[in-house]
Amino acid sequence: MTKTITYILLFILSSGELMYAQESTFIDGKIIGSKGGNILLRYYTNTTTLEEANITVEVNAIGEFRAEILIEDPQIVTLQYQKVPIPIYLEPHKNLGLVFEDHNRASSIRYLEKNGQNNNEVLDAFDNRFGYRNEKNVYSNLVQLPVKLYQALKFANNVDRFFLLEKRHAEEIQFFESAIEQKPNLSTNFIESMRTEIKYRHLAYLKNYVDSDDLPQVSQKQYYNLFPDSVYSDTKALRTLAYQMFLGAYSKCACEEKLDKALAYYTDYKVYYNCIKTDEQLSEASKEYVLGRLIYLNIKPEKAIPIKPLFEDFKMYSKDRILSSEIEARYRLASSLSSGTTAPNFELEQKNGEMITLSELKGKKVYISFWASWCGPCKAEILASKDNRAKLKNEDIKFVYININDEKETWQNHSITKKVGGIHLWTGSQKNEVLKTFGIVTIPKRFLLNESGQFISPFPASDSDGFVNFVKEN
């Protein structure tokens, strides 16, 4: 089987590489034993703002697929097949071939990289050991970590957390440096990116889960030695997810300690902004990036007016023209989606296979909820709003549920699609366009439109006590 896989890799990568556009990066694959289906690819189109793209790629009847993506920097792309995530390291313009068996991905996957490099073989081994990407992850205070590690930290005391994280970090370093010795044909970018990720994930975990004031004196000194001034001014790492997690964890800890109260990123953004702006630890470049990300992620249609003073202040403060222009574009989009403006039209597939446009629903109020099978809060609100939907059955309102991140079969067979009343739509290949036009970065995301197709904002959650009266009165 190994020889067969190697021959397939050589064929799929050599047969078409010269036809590709230079600005694109391609993944060519073969799934042995597959009779077709779809693959979902997730990656960052913009590593400045961490704007995520999700594309669905068709697997043909003999298990072959070809994915074209546009990336600016080296990054780890997630390929998902039959709910199994496959992390892949890619560099711009360096195409990749891979082959794996339909029901035996873990032990059968093989990669073919430019110049015979072994980047993905090492990445696969590292993730299998430490679970960065190939097991379920938990988000806590903007920090992403494997669920097994999260559970271990959750039930440990402060001192044990510190030593648990230090032990794990030492094991990660030893594992990766050993892999470099055993697999010398690794790209310089890959080595640098992995070392950056290992370092700043660890520091983010420490900031988020260890209280330095509650450590013994010897351990406290050890803790502080891990945070020299250089970690707050690492401009080379600015465009990496791990460093952004670290900056986020540091900012939260520093501001909460300074103000002596807990802060929520999406509600206390004004307090956060003023606190970070006066921080003396972060370098100017790091500070500007933290402030920019704070504003970017908090720019939403319902916040277009209250966040405007911060947006205007950041424009005056920022020296990073690229970041500033990204934020300005997002603010213009949010303003176009604010209360009283007309919602952008779309045409999407219903669960019966027929297409429907948003404009067809004019004349009725429309509640729109964007969701995915993995989004717990999305599903919880949809299910909890059952009674309110029943109370509004005689009102001129349509409930529209738009699935944004599942394969078609998963969406069609999901209990929400099958059992929850309303209009159920699937974005499919139009996902990125729909998310962009509606300014969606995270979900849950909901909109309420009046009979003229204009946004009503703000409004109560659909499962809240005030939703029914709000719909009847507006």
Side-chain angles (χ1 to χ4, degrees), residues 72-168:
E72 300 174 332
D73 302 291
Q75 63 173 277
I76 295 173
V77 173
T78 300
L79 183 153
Q80 186 169 313
Y81 177 68
Q82 294 183 348
K83 299 183 180 180
V84 177
I86 305 173
I88 299 171
Y89 174 78
L90 283 182
E91 295 180 8
H93 321 318
K94 292 185 178 180
N95 303 328
L96 174 75
L98 75 157
V99 174
F100 57 91
E101 297 172 23
D102 192 10
H103 301 295
N104 186 27
R105 183 207 69 83
S107 60
S108 68
I109 194 163
R110 298 291 184 274
Y111 306 94
L112 185 62
E113 301 181 55
K114 190 171 182 179
N115 302 324
Q117 291 177 340
N118 303 114
N119 300 325
N120 280 286
E121 186 178 336
V122 171
L123 176 67
D124 196 38
F126 186 88
D127 274 6
N128 284 335
R129 173 70 180 276
F130 298 105
Y132 274 14
R133 282 160 285 268
N134 62 355
E135 70 175 52
K136 186 177 179 181
N137 274 239
V138 174
Y139 286 85
S140 175
N141 296 327
L142 301 180
V143 174
Q144 174 187 353
L145 71 167
V147 66
K148 291 179 182 177
L149 176 59
Y150 171 77
Q151 291 170 343
L153 293 171
K154 185 177 180 181
F155 296 105
N157 63 45
N158 189 62
V159 176
D160 288 345
R161 286 179 179 181
F162 177 62
F163 287 112
L164 185 156
L165 288 172
E166 281 287 272
K167 181 175 181 291
R168 177 186 169 95

Side-chain angles (χ1 to χ4, degrees), residues 226-282:
L226 296 170
F227 296 92
D229 290 344
S230 59
V231 302
Y232 301 102
S233 58
D234 192 346
T235 53
K236 289 181 65 177
L238 263 181
R239 291 160 70 93
T240 66
L241 177 61
Y243 191 59
Q244 290 171 33
M245 283 199 301
F246 163 65
L247 291 178
Y250 162 75
S251 300
K252 179 177 174 61
C253 292
C255 289
E256 289 186 340
E257 183 176 340
K258 180 179 179 179
L259 301 171
D260 195 25
K261 66 176 183 177
L263 295 173
Y265 194 81
Y266 291 104
T267 54
D268 299 318
Y269 57 92
K270 293 180 181 179
V271 178
Y272 252 123
Y273 184 89
N274 292 322
C275 174
I276 295 167
K277 194 174 179 182
T278 58
D279 183 86
E280 296 180 356
Q281 183 71 69
L282 295 173

Side-chain angles (χ1 to χ4, degrees), residues 32-92:
I32 299 173
S34 172
K35 296 181 180 179
N38 290 297
I39 276 179
L40 177 68
L41 275 170
R42 296 197 303 272
Y43 63 98
Y44 294 113
T45 56
N46 187 325
T47 50
T48 300
T49 58
L50 289 185
E51 197 76 49
E52 189 177 64
N54 293 260
I55 61 173
T56 302
V57 179
E58 182 180 356
V59 180
N60 66 22
I62 58 174
E64 296 174 345
F65 65 89
R66 173 175 292 172
E68 176 186 10
I69 65 175
L70 298 172
I71 55 176
E72 300 174 332
D73 302 291
Q75 63 173 277
I76 295 173
V77 173
T78 300
L79 183 153
Q80 186 169 313
Y81 177 68
Q82 294 183 348
K83 299 183 180 180
V84 177
I86 305 173
I88 299 171
Y89 174 78
L90 283 182
E91 295 180 8

Side-chain angles (χ1 to χ4, degrees), residues 48 238 285 288-289 314 317-325:
T48 300
L238 263 181
E288 182 175 358
Y289 201 87
F314 183 78
Y317 170 81
S318 177
K319 297 177 182 177
D320 187 332
R321 292 182 180 179
I322 296 176
L323 179 59
S324 186
S325 64

Side-chain angles (χ1 to χ4, degrees), residues 177-431:
E177 296 303 322
S178 176
I180 293 174
E181 293 179 5
Q182 295 173 22
K183 302 285 185 181
N185 197 12
L186 302 175
S187 79
T188 303
N189 283 332
F190 174 71
I191 294 172
E192 184 178 327
S193 67
M194 286 297 292
R195 284 174 173 163
T196 297
E197 179 171 39
I198 291 168
K199 175 180 179 178
Y200 285 112
R201 270 185 180 262
H202 178 55
L203 296 184
Y205 295 163
L206 288 174
K207 283 291 184 185
N208 206 36
Y209 288 99
V210 176
D211 181 357
S212 58
D213 293 334
D214 195 29
L215 290 174
Q217 189 173 359
V218 174
S219 300
Q220 198 174 71
K221 184 176 180 181
Q222 183 182 349
Y223 176 94
Y224 288 134
N225 286 339
L226 296 170
F227 296 92
D229 290 344
S230 59
V231 302
Y232 301 102
S233 58
D234 192 346
T235 53
K236 289 181 65 177
L238 263 181
R239 291 160 70 93
T240 66
L241 177 61
Y243 191 59
Q244 290 171 33
M245 283 199 301
F246 163 65
L247 291 178
Y250 162 75
S251 300
K252 179 177 174 61
C253 292
C255 289
E256 289 186 340
E257 183 176 340
K258 180 179 179 179
L259 301 171
D260 195 25
K261 66 176 183 177
L263 295 173
Y265 194 81
Y266 291 104
T267 54
D268 299 318
Y269 57 92
K270 293 180 181 179
V271 178
Y272 252 123
Y273 184 89
N274 292 322
C275 174
I276 295 167
K277 194 174 179 182
T278 58
D279 183 86
E280 296 180 356
Q281 183 71 69
L282 295 173
S283 69
E284 286 303 312
S286 295
K287 185 187 298 186
E288 182 175 358
Y289 201 87
V290 173
L291 291 173
R293 286 279 295 158
L294 175 69
I295 293 175
Y296 185 87
L297 291 177
N298 273 284
I299 291 177
K300 299 177 181 180
E302 62 272 22
K303 293 181 180 178
I305 294 176
I307 206 170
K308 186 175 181 180
L310 299 189
F311 164 66
E312 296 291 351
D313 182 77
F314 183 78
K315 281 202 304 181
M316 298 289 291
Y317 170 81
S318 177
K319 297 177 182 177
D320 187 332
R321 292 182 180 179
I322 296 176
L323 179 59
S324 186
S325 64
E326 294 282 356
I327 293 172
E328 186 164 2
R330 182 162 177 77
Y331 183 80
R332 287 199 302 268
L333 176 60
S335 297
S336 72
L337 300 172
S338 59
S339 189
T341 60
T342 301
N345 195 25
F346 56 69
E347 184 178 30
L348 296 174
E349 183 177 345
Q350 302 179 77
K351 62 182 180 181
N352 62 5
E354 296 180 2
M355 305 298 288
I356 188 173
T357 63
L358 179 58
S359 59
E360 291 178 50
L361 302 178
K362 277 190 176 180
K364 300 179 183 294
K365 291 187 178 76
V366 181
Y367 173 81
I368 303 173
S369 176
F370 289 87
W371 72 285
S373 63
W374 48 261
C375 176
C378 304
K379 295 183 291 184
E381 182 179 344
I382 292 172
L383 296 174
S385 61
K386 178 181 178 181
D387 289 344
N388 281 349
R389 289 195 299 271
K391 293 174 183 176
L392 292 167
K393 66 179 181 180
N394 295 324
E395 299 292 322
D396 280 340
I397 182 171
K398 293 291 185 181
F399 289 86
V400 178
Y401 300 104
I402 303 178
N403 183 282
I404 67 165
N405 211 26
D406 289 311
E407 296 180 359
K408 187 174 182 179
E409 185 177 355
T410 302
W411 163 67
Q412 289 176 323
N413 294 324
H414 199 281
S415 58
I416 284 179
T417 310
K418 283 187 168 184
K419 298 178 181 180
V420 172
I423 299 171
H424 291 272
L425 305 178
W426 183 59
T427 52
S429 61
Q430 298 182 65
K431 174 183 175 176

